[in-house]
Amino acid sequence: GEDVEQSLFLSVREGDSSVINCTYTDSSSTYLYWYKQEPGAGLQLLTYIFSNMDMKQDQRLTVLLNKKDKHLSLRIADTQTGDSAIYFCAEKRIYNQGGKLIFGQGTELSVKP
Amino acid sequence: DTGVSQDPRHKITKRGQNVTFRCDPISEHNRLYWYRQTLGQGPEFLTYFQNEAQLEKSRLLSDRFSAERPKGSFSTLEIQRTEQGDSAMYLCASSGQIGASSYNEQFFGPGTRLTVL
């Protein structure tokens, strides 16, 4: 995903908030997604946001979208050790009728007790 | 379990052999996707089916790769004459049709990890 960029690592203490950032380049993105991947497993869809929204909250997760700067973030409140995983952001572009997703490289979140 | 399933979960093969993977999508989903994920990278799109029709293929899908979805339900991905560079996790995902709540969601299976020796 050279068009979707994420920082590679983030380390936080249990109970703190985590903020994972993502930037994308294509202004035609319609939906933006966050997936979680634990070692050796497939991807779990956490949440997604339509491009005309700027915020979405779902329990401990808050997604912020700055469409002008093409910046997406995922905030995890009260981070737990079970949140340790790799988090991928992904975009779907308006001209991709089939809906394929373009993924970033992933951010490895490490939660220390 | 009504999620996406993939079989086998792991496959070890020798260079030059053919391998075939299977994906069973969520039953009411008419769209099915294959992605490939190499170590330390995000998934990369390979191909997409709507019902039984293969509507898009990535340039990553060389002529050694073929995918089918003959009855619009399960799909197979075959790699002929495997090379060491084919070693990766092969992920399948599915999503619902227009109008369904799952239209904009892609749900992934656990993946098939291929190792080519």
Side-chain angles (χ1 to χ4, degrees):
Chain A
E2 62 182 356
D3 295 337
V4 180
E5 304 232 343
Q6 302 177 237
S7 52
L8 295 182
F9 300 101
L10 176 65
S11 181
V12 300
R13 291 244 172 244
E14 193 172 21
D16 289 348
S17 291
S18 307
V19 180
I20 302 171
N21 295 301
C22 172
T23 56
Y24 59 98
T25 56
D26 198 311
S27 57
S28 70
S29 297
T30 54
Y31 284 87
L32 294 127
Y33 300 79
W34 285 104
Y35 282 86
K36 175 183 179 183
Q37 187 175 38
E38 297 184 65
L43 277 71
Q44 176 193 352
L45 177 62
L46 291 177
T47 187
Y48 63 100
I49 188 168
F50 185 45
S51 59
N52 71 349
M53 298 170 63
D54 51 20
M55 186 180 97
K56 181 179 180 182
Q57 188 154 2
D58 185 358
Q59 298 182 355
R60 291 191 299 124
L61 305 179
T62 303
V63 178
L64 295 178
L65 174 60
N66 181 327
K67 198 171 180 181
K68 175 176 167 288
D69 294 339
K70 300 188 183 68
H71 182 266
L72 180 74
S73 68
L74 174 70
R75 178 177 179 269
I76 306 173
D78 186 25
T79 315
Q80 303 297 306
T81 54
D83 295 323
S84 293
I86 300 177
Y87 290 80
F88 292 95
C89 70
E91 58 168 345
K92 181 163 72 170
R93 298 173 181 173
I94 191 167
Y95 48 81
N96 288 340
Q97 294 296 315
K100 72 181 181 189
L101 299 181
I102 312 292
F103 284 86
Q105 274 185 291
T107 299
E108 182 175 350
L109 174 65
S110 173
V111 183
K112 301 192 185 314
Chain B
D1 183 9
T2 56
V4 178
S5 61
Q6 293 187 245
D7 184 69
R9 294 291 306 277
H10 303 273
K11 178 71 178 177
I12 300 174
T13 191
K14 292 183 180 176
R15 192 174 50 185
Q17 297 294 304
N18 299 345
V19 294
T20 301
F21 310 140
R22 177 180 169 124
C23 170
D24 286 87
I26 293 171
S27 58
E28 62 269 25
H29 286 182
N30 70 332
R31 292 182 297 160
L32 186 147
Y33 306 81
W34 285 99
Y35 292 83
R36 182 173 71 185
Q37 185 181 24
T38 52
L39 206 60
Q41 301 297 316
E44 294 176 293
F45 170 78
L46 292 178
T47 191
Y48 149 68
F49 290 84
Q50 182 165 300
N51 300 311
E52 64 276 7
Q54 187 174 19
L55 297 184
E56 188 175 354
K57 293 199 291 186
S58 161
R59 282 169 291 183
L60 291 175
L61 213 66
S62 76
D63 55 9
R64 295 185 298 106
F65 288 69
S66 62
E68 293 183 342
R69 194 183 183 199
K71 296 180 182 177
S73 55
F74 72 90
S75 175
T76 57
L77 177 68
E78 181 184 17
I79 310 174
Q80 295 183 325
R81 305 181 303 281
T82 51
E83 301 172 357
Q84 288 183 322
D86 297 331
S87 295
M89 175 84 93
Y90 290 84
L91 293 161
C92 177
S94 70
S95 62
Q97 58 193 339
I98 292 176
S101 59
S102 61
Y103 176 69
N104 288 308
E105 301 168 339
Q106 280 187 33
F107 296 96
F108 281 78
T112 295
R113 180 165 295 285
L114 173 66
T115 303
V116 182
L117 302 175

